[in-house]
């Protein structure tokens, strides 16, 4: 399956799950601007924020999100800086309510379900994962400078509603650098009638600084 790999062994020993290293790797939740995080179609308001939690708390079955009117969920996730996203873990229940597909969009704030009809930057077919064992590796080149991530779960394995226990984000964070915005006005395709000289519009090139 494209873009999928095991974050660690799915069989037997899980002692290393609790190591500090795993907690550090999946600490990007701390860089989420939770005040402005949006979860569309959540049954309980604010519950979508609860699934972005510590590694140690990832299997907490109280802090979950459930979809409302149908099986779709959409998360708009702003960050406090720029991240390089390397992998995602999605844990759910061992039943039909587990999401079956995940679609990622980079730097498109406030997306809606209608907006999500466009082609995603990356898509994954998901497996049942109740223990947060499976990591889905992202295209690092595509997700190397992300200030906003949208995650769309369009379907599950057959239930009327979708349940998610945990979403883990692995990668790097750096402080955003804010530069002044320079607005340049230029003629994209001049009207020949507006120019005294004979100009072929198709021969013009423009350099945007």
């Amino acid at each position: 399956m494209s873009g999928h790999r095991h974050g660690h062994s799915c069989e037997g020993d899980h002692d290393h799950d609790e190591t500090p290293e795993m907690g550090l790797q999946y600490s990007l939740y701390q860089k989420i601007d939770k005040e402005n995080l949006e979860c569309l179609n959540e049954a309980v308001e604010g519950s979508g924020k609860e699934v972005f939690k510590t590694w140690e708390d990832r299997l907490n079955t109280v802090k979950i999100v459930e979809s409302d009117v149908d099986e779709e969920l959409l998360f708009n996730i702003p960050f406090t800086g720029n991240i390089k996203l390397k992998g995602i873990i999605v844990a759910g229940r061992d039943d039909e309510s587990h999401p079956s597909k995940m679609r990622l969009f980079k730097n498109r704030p406030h997306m809606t379900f209608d907006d999500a009809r466009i082609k995603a930057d990356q898509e994954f077919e998901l497996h049942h994962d109740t223990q947060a064992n499976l990591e889905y590796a992202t295209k690092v080149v595509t997700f190397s400078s992300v200030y906003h991530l949208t995650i769309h779960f369009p379907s599950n394995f057959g239930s009327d509603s979708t349940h998610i226990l945990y979403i883990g984000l692995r990668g790097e964070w750096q402080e955003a650098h804010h530069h002044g915005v320079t607005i340049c006005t230029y003629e994209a395709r001049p009207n020949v009638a507006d120019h005294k000289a004979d100009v072929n519009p198709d021969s013009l090139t423009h350099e945007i600084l």
Side-chain angles (χ1 to χ4, degrees), residues 19-205:
T19 62
E21 288 77 11
M22 295 305 294
L24 289 173
Q25 286 188 43
Y26 289 92
S27 61
L28 276 181
Y29 73 94
Q30 297 175 333
K31 304 303 183 181
I32 294 173
D33 177 7
K34 284 198 172 182
E35 290 292 321
N36 293 302
L37 186 151
E38 301 172 330
C39 180
L40 305 188
N41 197 37
E42 56 186 3
V44 178
E45 185 176 354
S47 59
K49 301 177 182 181
E50 298 294 316
V51 301
F52 299 93
K53 46 196 173 185
T54 66
W55 179 254
E56 293 74 19
D57 202 30
R58 68 195 182 284
L59 301 182
N60 183 324
T61 56
V62 175
K63 298 178 180 179
I64 68 170
V65 63
E66 177 183 358
S67 64
D68 190 11
V69 298
D70 57 23
E71 74 277 15
E72 288 192 79
L73 284 168
L74 188 147
F75 294 83
N76 283 311
I77 309 164
F79 295 96
T80 58
N82 292 321
I83 69 163
K84 178 186 290 185
L85 183 65
K86 297 181 177 180
I88 299 181
I89 288 177
V90 179
R93 292 178 173 172
D94 190 18
D95 58 26
E96 294 180 340
S97 71
H98 193 293
S100 61
K101 183 176 289 187
M102 174 172 63
R103 307 173 69 239
L104 306 181
F105 300 88
K106 169 188 174 182
N107 297 342
R108 293 177 176 270
H110 307 296
M111 287 189 72
T112 65
F113 289 112
D114 286 340
D115 296 331
R117 292 175 181 172
I118 65 173
K119 180 179 174 60
D121 291 304
Q122 192 168 2
E123 296 191 9
F124 301 90
E125 298 292 333
L126 304 183
H127 291 282
H128 278 92
D129 184 9
T130 61
Q131 300 296 313
N133 284 332
L134 303 177
E135 180 187 277
Y136 299 89
T138 59
K139 303 172 184 175
V140 178
V141 173
T142 301
F143 295 95
S144 62
S145 183
V146 181
Y147 61 84
H148 185 283
L149 178 69
T150 299
I151 307 178
H152 178 215
F153 297 97
S155 59
N156 57 32
F157 287 96
S159 177
D160 291 335
S161 62
T162 296
H163 293 79
I164 296 176
L165 277 65
Y166 171 73
I167 298 177
L169 305 175
R170 183 175 66 85
E172 302 170 7
W173 176 88
Q174 65 179 11
E175 187 174 354
H177 298 287
H178 299 285
H179 300 284
V181 177
T182 302
I183 301 175
C184 301
T185 303
Y186 66 97
E187 250 181 317
R189 189 178 176 87
N191 186 338
V192 177
D194 294 337
H195 295 262
K196 294 181 180 179
D198 292 330
V199 179
N200 180 357
D202 295 322
S203 68
L204 295 173
T205 60

Side-chain angles (χ1 to χ4, degrees), residues 8-23:
H8 43 269
S9 174
C10 295
E11 301 175 359
D13 181 17
H14 292 291
D15 290 344
H16 54 297
D17 292 358
E18 301 300 332
T19 62
E21 288 77 11
M22 295 305 294

